[in-house]
Amino acid sequence: MKNFALTGYPLGHSMSPLIHKELFKINSKDADYSLMEIDPAFFEDGFAQLKTLDGFNVTIPHKTGIIPYLDSLSQRAELFGAVNTVKNENGKLTGYNTDCFGFLRALETADISLGGKVLLCGSGGVSRMFAFESVLAGADLTIAVREADVDAANRIKNEIKEKLQKDVKVITLDEVDGCFDLLINGTPVGMFPNVDNCVLPKEKVLACGAVFDAIYNPLETKLLKYAKEGGLKYSNGLPMLVWQAVVAQEIWFDIKFDANRVKDVIKITESELKK
């Protein structure tokens, strides 16, 4: 049996074991997936355990801290400076970033194009990935943040300028104005239990052509309710969560998944979240 895990701190309740176990079933893989909580203060000791696995996923706060322990990085992991998937091949550990492919496949599933004028709300780790992918797709990107996060947004802007030689615009959420082809929410605004909050007023949401919200608890945030009422294309973050796990298994096992089978796993995960 092959063994895989998710490491982070704290982990709390995670959907990852359920998702990976459902994906193992699709390809009849004799494999197990567990949670391995490692305190950053004792990461070196915990890493010895991770090295015994066939592969593992990495979440906050280890996505950057894991890098010095790895033998090599994929192109995307190097570009983002963040790893969420590691493959152990004969003791050689390679770090990947599958969040980006999860995001791109989630958009594809919802028939949402990544391009044109993109408004990204947020400047955290996931927003950084959204920003890079938007620019790589040729989008005209505006990053909108709270006043307190302007410096963080400017760091993303400067990194994109340095690595991709592209300009992006940084504004505060209050300054958002005009029409955008796609609105991406990378902030936790609207997440359970603060479900009555929305990152932007309704009229500004409805000035966008489509909406992607990284949040999946609740499955329908206030932001997505606005999008639904306005007849916009939209997606929550659950397909991204499942698809990034799919891409991780494609890397671990060198296989491809059928999109319809993945949709079934998304439905199973959705049912579990509704309980």
Side-chain angles (χ1 to χ4, degrees):
M1 179 187 275
K2 287 187 178 289
N3 289 294
F4 302 90
L6 170 68
T7 187
Y9 187 85
L11 285 176
H13 178 69
S14 170
M15 298 305 295
S16 292
L18 169 77
I19 293 166
H20 280 282
K21 285 169 185 177
E22 289 298 329
L23 294 173
F24 291 148
K25 285 180 198 171
I26 290 173
N27 292 297
S28 306
K29 295 294 178 189
D30 184 19
D32 187 49
Y33 192 97
S34 57
L35 297 178
M36 206 174 278
E37 200 170 79
I38 302 176
D39 185 324
F42 305 105
F43 189 75
E44 203 155 328
D45 297 335
F47 184 71
Q49 262 184 299
L50 293 174
K51 279 193 81 169
T52 66
L53 301 170
D54 296 284
F56 53 92
N57 291 120
V58 186
T59 190
I60 294 164
H62 302 317
K63 285 187 174 190
T64 52
I66 189 89
I67 292 173
Y69 294 85
L70 305 176
D71 297 297
S72 59
L73 295 177
S74 72
Q75 199 178 357
R76 280 295 205 280
E78 201 164 341
L79 180 64
F80 302 144
V83 163
N84 80 318
T85 297
V86 175
K87 182 176 185 176
N88 185 348
E89 204 161 18
N90 305 317
K92 291 282 183 193
L93 301 181
T94 305
Y96 298 84
N97 190 303
T98 67
D99 283 335
C100 52
F101 299 112
F103 170 55
L104 296 174
R105 294 203 199 177
L107 288 180
E108 206 179 295
T109 304
D111 193 28
I112 295 171
S113 300
L114 182 59
K117 289 181 72 179
V118 172
L119 175 65
L120 166 63
C121 299
S123 58
V126 74
S127 292
R128 188 162 163 270
M129 179 274 287
F130 291 149
F132 268 92
E133 285 301 333
S134 298
V135 172
L136 285 168
D140 172 11
L141 177 66
T142 299
I143 303 175
V145 291
R146 300 173 306 168
E147 196 73 55
D149 296 326
V150 168
D151 285 350
N154 278 322
R155 282 196 291 276
I156 296 172
K157 174 183 174 165
N158 294 336
E159 200 179 342
I160 287 172
K161 179 76 173 169
E162 182 194 327
K163 291 184 174 179
L164 303 179
Q165 289 77 53
K166 299 283 183 185
D167 280 314
V168 306
K169 191 177 174 187
V170 172
I171 61 172
T172 62
L173 289 162
D174 293 340
E175 293 171 328
V176 170
D177 193 29
C179 300
F180 293 88
D181 297 292
L182 173 61
L183 163 62
I184 303 170
N185 178 35
T187 78
V189 178
M191 190 185 283
F192 182 84
N194 304 309
V195 296
D196 290 328
N197 297 344
C198 187
V199 71
L200 288 173
K202 187 174 183 178
E203 65 275 10
K204 293 188 180 182
V205 175
L206 297 182
C208 301
V211 176
F212 180 86
D213 194 340
I215 293 168
Y216 56 85
N217 184 16
L219 290 163
E220 190 174 277
T221 57
K222 198 163 191 179
L223 174 62
L224 293 186
K225 280 179 184 145
Y226 290 159
K228 193 176 182 179
E229 286 165 17
L232 312 179
K233 288 179 182 176
Y234 65 91
S235 174
N236 63 28
L238 187 60
M240 175 177 150
L241 180 72
V242 174
W243 273 109
Q244 63 82 21
V246 168
V247 179
Q249 289 205 17
E250 289 180 343
I251 290 165
W252 292 333
F253 297 110
D254 196 21
I255 52 173
K256 285 287 172 200
F257 278 81
D258 176 83
N260 288 321
R261 300 298 299 274
V262 175
K263 280 180 189 168
D264 292 340
V265 177
I266 293 170
K267 281 179 193 158
I268 289 166
T269 314
E270 202 170 277
S271 300
E272 191 65 28
L273 278 166
K274 284 176 179 171
K275 285 180 181 176

